[in-house]
Amino acid sequence: MKRWNGWGNIEVEYPLHESALSFLESKLGPSRKPQDISLEELTKKVPQSHIGHKLVTTDSFDRVRHARGQSLPDWIALRSGNIEYFPAGVAYPQSNQDIKSLINYAYDNDIALIPYGGGTSVVGHINIYNAKPTITVDLSKMNKLMHLNEENHTATFQAGINGLDLEAILNEKGYTLGHFPQSFEYSTLGGWIATRSSGQQSLGYGRIERMFLGGKFITPHGELNLPPFPASAAGPDLKEIILGSEGRYGILTEATVRIHKLPEREIFKAVFFPTFSHGLKAIRELSRQRTPLTMLRLSTEIETITTLALAGRAQQISILETLLGFRGIGENKVLLLYGIAGTKEEVSSQKSIRNTIKQYNGVHVPVFGSEWHKSRFKTPYLRNTLWELGYAVDTLETAIPWGKALGLIRDLQEKISNGLDKEKVHTFTHVSHMYTDGCSVYTTYIYKLSDSPEENLRKWQILKGLASETIIQWGGTISHQHGVGKDHLPYLSREKGALGLQVLGTLGMLFDPENILNPGKLF
Ligand SMILES: Cc1cc2nc3c(=O)[nH]c(=O)nc-3n(C[C@H](O)[C@H](O)[C@H](O)COP(=O)(O)OP(=O)(O)OC[C@H]3O[C@@H](n4cnc5c(N)ncnc54)[C@H](O)[C@@H]3O)c2cc1C
C-alpha cells in the first residue's frame, strides 16, 4: 500500500546507518521530528461533499490521498494537516466515455476537474488552490496495453498506466520504453507526457517528447486524435500542445510511444575524477560522441561526499579513498555514474568512452555503478527516513548551456547553503541529462525541521525563491523536467514572454472556455 503522507510503498524502509546520521548532524545539527497529524485526525477535517456522480467517490480517505502531491510544501501540508482545500470527490474513470461524462458533469455543475496520474508531481500540479468544488480524476484504472506494433516498434497504452506496469508488459514481450524517472514506481505515461518528463537514461532513449508519437486527447471543446507519424512537416506539431499541458487543456487517455528491443546487455559503471571541472569536461565530450551511453550523472564534490557518507560503510569508503589517493584523486574527488546499453559487442568495446575518461584522469571503481542501478528507485524512500529524523528535503532542477553550468552550480549551492539567516542548509548537486549544447542541473537541499509547519514552509519559500531567481539570472530554464505546476508559475513569464503566455492562455480558452480543467495552473 502507498504511503498517504510520504513516498512509496509503506512496506519499504530506508534505514540510515549510525555514521550517516552523524554526518548529517555534523552538517546541520541534531534535530527532532515534528508532531505529525494522524490519518484519522486528518480525515476528520475533510468537509462534507455534495457531489453525486456514479464514477465519483466522496470517501474521506480517498480525498486525503488525492489532496496533495510530493513537493516539500505538500509534505508539510499533509504531515501538519494544514490543507485548505480537499477534492470534493475522486473519480476513477475506465473509458473515454467515462471521461466525457465527467467533463459534461463538471460543465453542468460548475465543478473543476484535476487529471491525476500517479500524484508524484513535485511542483504543486495536482493541488487545489481555490474554493471551487473540484473532482480529482484518477486515471489509474485506465492502465491497459491497447496495441503493440512489432513491425513499427510502437505501442499504444491507456495513459493511466504507471512506469512499473508499463515496463513489465513491454519487457515480457522483449521491449522497453527506456523511460525511467526516479518516480517510476508510481508516475504514469499520461503524467510524463503532461509534464514533459525526462528519465534517467534520456541520453540513450531521449526525453518523453522523443517517445510520444500521438494519441487521444479529450478536451471540453472536443477530441484531438493525433495519428503516430514517424515524422511530419504538416505545419506546427499538435503533439507539442499536449506535451507539458499539465492537465490544463484536456485529458490524455491513450498514447502511442516509440519502443525499443531490450538491449542484449546493459551495464552501469562508476568513475572518480580528481575535480568537478575534470569530470565536467569529460562528460561534455562524451555527450558529443556517438556511443551506446544511456546515462551520465556527475556529482559535485559535496554530493560525492554526501553519497559516500550516507552509504554508511565508513571502513570500505576509507579503503577506497586511500586507493584513489594513490591514483592522484584526493579530497576534491567527484563521482560519475554512467550506463551503457546495446549489443554485447557494443557494450564490451567502450574504447572511446574509456579513452575520454582516462584523458581527464578518471579512475574506474568496481561495484558502485551496479549498486546504484539496483537501488535507483529506492533512494526517494530516504526522504521518509530523513523526515522521521527531523530533516526536510527538497530538490530543484534546470537546464543550462555548457558554458554557464559550472558558474550556475557554484552560485546555486552557495546561495541555498547560506539562504537561511541563522542555520546551515546542506546543499549538493549533480549534472545529468546531457545534450550536445548543455546539461540539466539537479540540486538537493536539506534543512532542519522545526515544530512549526508555518516556519518550515517559510524556509522553503525563501530557498525556493532564491534558487529560482538564481536560475533565471543565469539564463537557465525554470524547469528541465518537473514542469511548471503552481510553484514555477511566477517565473514562467520571464521565460516565455508576454506574447508566449498569451498563446498558452488563448489555447486554454479554446480547449476549455469554462475553465474546468486544473484551474490556476500553467497560465
Ligand atoms: C521521488 C520523485 C522522483 C522524481 N523523479 C523524476 C524524474 O526522474 N524525472 C522527471 O521527469 N520527473 C520526476 N519526478 C516528478 C514527477 O514524477 C513527474 O512530473 C511525473 O511526470 C508526474 O507523473 P504523474 O503520473 O505522477 O502525474 P501527476 O503528478 O499525477 O500529474 C502531473 C500533471 O500532469 C497532469 N496529468 C497527469 N496525467 C494526465 C493525463 N492523462 N492527461 C492530462 N494531464 C495529465 C496532471 O493534471 C498534473 O498537472 C519525480 C517525483 C518524485 C516524487
Side-chain angles (χ1 to χ4, degrees), residues 115 117-121 139 181-183 188 191 195 197-198 246 252 481 518:
T120 65
S121 161
L139 291 143
Q182 209 181 31
S183 55
T188 63
T195 59
S197 160
S198 191
E246 304 196 347
L252 184 68
Q481 65 199 55
N518 212 359

Side-chain angles (χ1 to χ4, degrees), residues 53 100-112 514 516:
H53 187 286
K100 286 179 196 162
S101 150
L102 286 164
I103 290 177
N104 289 338
Y105 178 76
Y107 183 83
D108 291 342
N109 295 282
D110 195 23
I111 286 169
E514 297 300 321
I516 293 170

Side-chain angles (χ1 to χ4, degrees), residues 464-485:
K464 181 74 180 174
L466 265 176
S468 301
E469 283 298 335
T470 308
I471 285 171
I472 288 183
Q473 277 159 22
W474 274 91
T477 172
I478 196 59
S479 178
H480 165 265
Q481 65 199 55
H482 288 162
V484 182

Side-chain angles (χ1 to χ4, degrees), residues 124-436:
H125 281 117
I126 48 120
N127 305 353
I128 303 165
Y129 293 98
N130 64 37
K132 186 170 176 173
T134 301
I135 297 172
T136 298
V137 182
D138 182 323
L139 291 143
S140 58
K141 291 197 171 154
M142 297 187 67
N143 61 355
K144 310 277 177 312
L145 170 68
M146 302 177 72
H147 182 60
L148 178 76
N149 189 321
E150 301 207 52
E151 191 175 20
N152 300 336
H153 281 195
T154 61
T156 304
F157 288 95
Q158 286 184 304
I161 190 164
N162 66 43
L164 210 56
D165 293 343
L166 178 144
E167 271 299 308
I169 291 174
L170 288 179
N171 289 179
E172 210 219 320
K173 296 173 191 300
Y175 293 93
T176 177
L177 176 64
H179 192 71
F180 304 103
Q182 209 181 31
S183 55
F184 176 75
E185 280 180 86
Y186 294 99
S187 55
T188 63
L189 178 58
W192 299 338
I193 294 166
T195 59
R196 302 186 79 100
S197 160
S198 191
Q200 289 165 342
Q201 285 166 263
S202 67
L203 184 60
Y205 296 104
R207 292 162 60 87
I208 199 71
E209 294 95 293
R210 200 163 104 195
M211 301 165 188
F212 178 48
L213 288 170
K216 192 181 279 292
F217 192 59
I218 300 179
T219 84
H221 191 56
E223 216 170 285
L224 270 182
N225 283 296
L226 303 184
F229 300 116
S232 165
D237 190 344
L238 296 178
K239 292 198 299 291
E240 288 294 338
I241 293 174
I242 300 174
L243 283 157
S245 58
E246 304 196 347
R248 199 70 170 95
Y249 297 155
I251 303 187
L252 184 68
T253 60
E254 296 164 19
T256 301
V257 284
R258 287 195 170 96
I259 55 172
H260 308 265
K261 273 275 180 205
L262 274 172
E264 261 174 44
R265 194 159 173 235
E266 179 166 55
I267 54 169
F268 292 85
K269 297 224 161 210
V271 172
F272 282 90
F273 288 99
T275 68
F276 188 59
S277 118
H278 280 82
L280 209 55
K281 284 182 194 146
I283 59 170
R284 190 177 61 197
E285 215 165 296
L286 284 169
S287 65
R288 290 172 178 162
Q289 293 171 9
R290 289 177 77 87
T291 64
L293 277 167
T294 59
M295 184 194 93
L296 287 164
R297 184 188 193 276
L298 178 73
S299 296
T300 55
E301 304 87 336
I302 307 176
E303 185 168 285
T304 302
I305 292 169
T306 307
T307 306
L308 296 179
L310 294 185
R313 296 182 195 142
Q315 213 179 351
Q316 286 105 312
I317 302 292
S318 156
I319 297 170
L320 171 79
E321 286 177 334
T322 310
L323 293 175
L324 286 174
F326 293 136
R327 306 283 301 270
I329 295 182
E331 60 181 21
N332 291 328
K333 64 185 169 304
V334 295
L335 173 65
L336 168 72
L337 294 160
Y338 71 88
I340 308 179
T343 61
K344 284 183 194 142
E345 295 74 39
E346 279 170 333
V347 172
S348 47
S349 71
Q350 315 149 25
K351 213 164 154 203
S352 73
I353 300 172
R354 285 191 170 274
N355 283 347
T356 309
I357 287 170
K358 214 163 141 198
Q359 188 189 337
Y360 292 99
N361 305 336
V363 173
H364 277 87
V365 293
V367 185
F368 270 73
S370 51
E371 284 291 312
W372 174 84
H373 180 236
K374 256 191 257 160
S375 62
R376 63 175 166 165
F377 303 127
K378 216 182 152 199
T379 321
Y381 286 86
L382 180 57
R383 278 179 89 188
N384 301 323
T385 313
L386 291 177
W387 184 282
E388 297 301 320
L389 292 167
Y391 298 105
V393 188
D394 193 26
T395 60
L396 50 95
E397 38 77 53
T398 180
I400 190 121
W402 283 115
K404 292 180 178 176
L406 188 57
L408 168 69
I409 291 167
R410 298 292 190 223
D411 200 16
L412 255 184
Q413 291 204 163
E414 152 84 21
K415 293 231 169 77
I416 300 174
S417 299
N418 300 306
L420 300 180
D421 272 354
K422 293 190 188 90
E423 64 179 89
K424 273 281 170 202
V425 180
H426 187 57
T427 313
F428 48 94
T429 301
H430 64 254
V431 171
S432 45
H433 306 283
M434 309 300 149
Y435 307 92
T436 50

